[in-house]
Amino acid sequence: MNPAQWPPHLPAAVVHQAQGPLLCGYLIALEGWRRGLTLQFHAHKSQAFAYIPFWYSHRPGRLFTLSDGKRTVRFFRSRGDGVSREAVEAGADKTRTKQYLHQADVPAPRGSLLESEADLAVEAAKLAGPFVLKVNDGSFGRGVRTNLSADELAGVYRELQQEHPGEPVLLEEHIEGPEYRLYVVGEHVAGAVRRDPASVTGDGNATIEELIARKNGERRSNPRLATALIKLDAAVEAMLQGQGLKLDSRPPAGQVVALRTQSNVSLGGDPVDVLNQLPDDMKQTAVRALQAFPEFPHGGVDIIHSNERGPVVLEVNPTAQIALMVFPMHGKGRDIPKAIVDYYFPETKQHTRASHAYFHLQDSLMALETGAASVSEVPDCPSEEPQGIHWVIEKPLHAAERHQIYVEAMERRLTGWLKPKGVDRWHVFAAGDEAEAFGASLPDAKEAGRGPAFITPAFRVYESREELLRDQAEVTTLINRTAAARRRTEQTLKLLRTTAGLPGKLKLLSKRGT
């Protein structure tokens, strides 16, 4: 992994604040905001998103809008509102996906939806094995079993029904070959990675368990992979057993040890940039795949390349993860956020990107988290790189002293920051008309230079890692308590409307909430 190949305007120190499901949206929001677009985050009940399909959005950060004053584009994570509801719903239904692809003559695996276990033998006879069984609306590699023999089908079908009760199961032909995720914007492929299943490489000394821990250490430094570590579970142990290995085995140097069959990044797979190596027919297949659906201008396409059949489309994803192409495990990071903002706001292509600035996500979402507001607008991006002053303070700064520095900087309308730099050492940067006067007020500060810096639109105080983790835990507890209280209030109001305020039920609810 080489972070020097990632986009330089997206340093890990900034984007790590938006790990997990918030990362892809943050990258797009940051790109638009840096171009001078107005950025607003919305609560899940916002009327602006009344007709936009979204899910798991009770915690804010996934819904946001970008506006140039004339046009406003609504985003759910990486998906803009140019993607139609029909495309979203069809993309989530593997059977409907296959229908659209077949109608457009886009190559896709042959298969059919199973009504019951009795259909297995009939439908399998129509295909040449091996086979794939998958839940019709599964995602992130869950509910998928590949490379199955005819004798394994019945047992795996029962497993899937137990794990995903009530969900239809799809039988498909298994196609052998490497798997790729391509991201299409308009008529072009903006990024592409090969998704390699989770594995480790022996060094002749470390155990497999130690190699996994070492690789997870690398993944933690990657903004996308930090929340997609390789987990030691029964599937990994079974995979090792099939190779005659255990967690305490010490593979020789250079031996690649497979840990999973699925290539999903969420299961520990490695995204490897291959955009410049892909043949044109694979790129055109991805573009045609999106064009097979109504109003599907940008999104992800999963393709497997077969030696016999060439590129075959496995799935399309209207809300695809883009961060794995921005921060691949190996190879060059691609600027997918730029391509998406270019598509929706082409007139801003010529705008200078304010790469020196960023906004702090947690601060921007606080009012939404606590329920104090339904919309939160991020302050305008500083358009010019500030020429500020740097100071060093070599002494302990207690919380009250740090707060006083923050208050004075804000009163003087300065931008900048206060950061810990080792034990009892702090680094201060401030830009603005009163920066020199501010520096003179700092306790025992020594000027360390003048010049630009990477800043937020206001003055920010950064804590040590230990204090930051403690503060985040306290804020999370407060937010969860506030959210729970809000849910109890909503339940009470619902009962009042539906039971005409029967005191018995209200009293029971009150007891549960205490």
Side-chain angles (χ1 to χ4, degrees):
M1 188 169 67
N2 184 6
Q5 292 187 284
W6 298 340
H9 59 284
L10 296 173
V14 169
V15 299
H16 261 307
Q17 65 175 305
Q19 288 182 1
L22 301 185
L23 178 56
C24 294
Y26 180 75
L27 296 176
I28 296 170
L30 182 62
E31 174 68 21
W33 177 78
R34 282 173 164 177
R35 295 193 196 187
L37 298 173
T38 298
L39 169 62
Q40 293 182 336
F41 286 96
H42 293 252
H44 72 285
K45 292 185 178 180
S46 171
Q47 286 302 306
F49 288 81
Y51 302 102
I52 301 295
F54 62 85
W55 44 85
Y56 303 129
S57 290
H58 283 72
R59 295 295 297 274
R62 297 164 176 83
L63 303 177
F64 62 96
T65 57
L66 290 172
S67 176
D68 62 2
K70 298 178 181 178
R71 184 188 178 200
T72 297
V73 178
R74 296 161 295 178
F75 286 89
F76 167 57
R77 297 173 62 176
S78 67
R79 174 180 20 102
D81 59 16
V83 180
S84 68
R85 175 178 285 272
E86 173 60 23
V88 175
E89 293 175 350
D93 185 318
K94 294 179 173 61
T95 302
R96 288 173 65 183
T97 294
K98 292 166 69 69
Q99 292 170 350
Y100 273 108
L101 294 174
H102 286 316
Q103 289 170 4
D105 200 28
V106 176
R110 293 181 290 268
S112 58
L113 199 63
L114 302 172
E115 297 289 338
S116 66
E117 186 179 337
D119 294 337
L120 270 174
V122 176
E123 298 301 327
K126 300 176 184 179
L127 306 172
F131 307 94
V132 173
L133 281 174
K134 60 174 70 171
V135 176
N136 192 50
D137 59 353
S139 58
F140 301 107
R142 293 187 290 267
V144 179
R145 304 290 191 276
T146 62
N147 202 17
L148 302 172
S149 66
D151 293 337
E152 295 176 297
L153 288 177
V156 173
Y157 179 86
R158 295 188 198 107
E159 288 178 11
L160 290 178
Q161 287 212 309
Q162 289 179 350
E163 296 171 6
H164 306 272
E167 296 188 26
V169 175
L170 184 65
L171 174 71
E172 288 183 344
E173 60 181 337
H174 174 82
I175 299 174
E176 194 66 40
E179 293 188 23
Y180 301 87
R181 162 68 61 85
L182 285 70
Y183 197 86
V184 175
V185 182
E187 297 185 355
H188 303 281
V189 175
V193 293
R194 187 183 69 241
R195 299 189 304 182
D196 295 341
S199 67
V200 291
T201 302
D203 63 1
N205 182 38
T207 66
I208 292 176
E209 188 169 8
E210 291 169 341
L211 293 171
I212 292 174
R214 188 183 302 168
K215 190 166 188 179
N216 278 340
E218 287 186 69
R219 294 175 79 89
R220 285 189 181 92
S221 64
N222 181 302
R224 170 60 188 95
L225 304 182
T227 56
L229 303 181
I230 302 171
K231 297 178 181 177
L232 299 179
D233 54 20
V236 168
E237 293 187 6
M239 192 75 180
L240 293 176
Q241 187 176 8
Q243 302 167 79
L245 299 169
K246 296 181 179 180
L247 286 173
D248 59 359
S249 300
R250 301 178 186 272
Q255 179 181 339
V256 177
V257 179
L259 300 175
R260 294 191 190 277
T261 56
Q262 300 105 311
S263 62
N264 300 74
V265 171
S266 58
L267 296 177
D270 292 336
V272 179
D273 172 66
V274 292
L275 180 62
N276 294 337
Q277 288 80 50
L278 290 187
D280 288 339
D281 66 331
M282 185 180 294
K283 294 179 181 179
Q284 287 305 310
T285 298
V287 172
R288 288 174 51 221
L290 293 202
Q291 292 174 343
F293 297 79
E295 297 178 69
F296 197 172
H298 65 100
V301 183
D302 291 346
I303 291 179
I304 194 165
H305 194 277
S306 164
N307 289 333
E308 294 78 21
R309 297 171 57 181
V312 179
V313 176
L314 300 178
E315 295 180 7
V316 296
N317 193 331
T319 320
Q321 299 242 357
I322 62 171
L324 73 167
M325 300 175 194
V326 182
F327 307 106
M329 188 72 173
H330 303 288
K332 182 178 180 180
R334 305 295 172 170
D335 200 348
I336 310 297
K338 178 183 184 304
I340 293 174
V341 177
D342 282 352
Y343 173 81
Y344 283 106
F345 297 96
E347 69 282 358
T348 68
K349 289 182 180 180
Q350 307 306 319
H351 291 192
T352 300
R353 176 199 284 145
S355 298
H356 62 276
Y358 68 101
F359 64 89
H360 195 265
L361 185 61
Q362 188 181 53
D363 289 353
S364 303
L365 302 181
M366 183 61 69
L368 306 183
E369 290 272 22
T370 59
S374 59
V375 180
S376 174
E377 184 169 319
V378 179
D380 291 342
C381 176
S383 58
E384 296 182 1
E385 192 170 13
Q387 297 293 317
I389 308 175
H390 299 255
W391 295 273
V392 173
I393 301 174
E394 295 186 347
K395 59 170 286 186
L397 287 180
H398 302 297
E401 295 173 296
R402 300 197 298 269
H403 180 69
Q404 182 56 42
I405 292 173
Y406 166 78
V407 169
E408 182 161 351
M410 294 298 288
E411 288 177 345
R412 294 178 183 273
R413 299 184 179 277
L414 303 176
T415 58
W417 34 257
L418 170 66
K419 296 180 180 180
K421 292 289 183 179
V423 179
D424 295 339
R425 194 169 190 267
W426 296 80
H427 194 180
V428 187
F429 172 82
D433 293 339
E434 297 191 42
E436 294 217 22
F438 169 71
S441 71
L442 294 173
D444 301 320
K446 297 179 182 178
E447 185 173 324
R450 299 185 178 224
F454 204 52
I455 62 163
T456 62
F459 192 89
R460 180 163 184 81
V461 177
Y462 293 84
E463 309 287 356
S464 66
R465 178 173 176 79
E466 294 75 17
E467 291 175 319
L468 183 61
L469 291 174
R470 182 203 63 209
D471 292 345
Q472 285 180 339
E474 291 177 356
V475 169
T476 300
T477 299
L478 175 61
I479 289 170
N480 290 338
R481 286 176 179 172
T482 304
R486 187 167 66 246
R487 286 194 296 270
R488 289 197 296 271
T489 301
E490 291 172 351
Q491 289 172 339
T492 301
L493 292 174
K494 182 178 180 180
L495 281 174
L496 282 170
R497 288 192 297 267
T498 58
T499 66
L502 295 178
K505 290 197 174 183
L506 287 178
K507 186 176 181 181
L508 179 62
L509 179 65
S510 175
K511 287 182 178 179
R512 288 177 180 170
T514 58

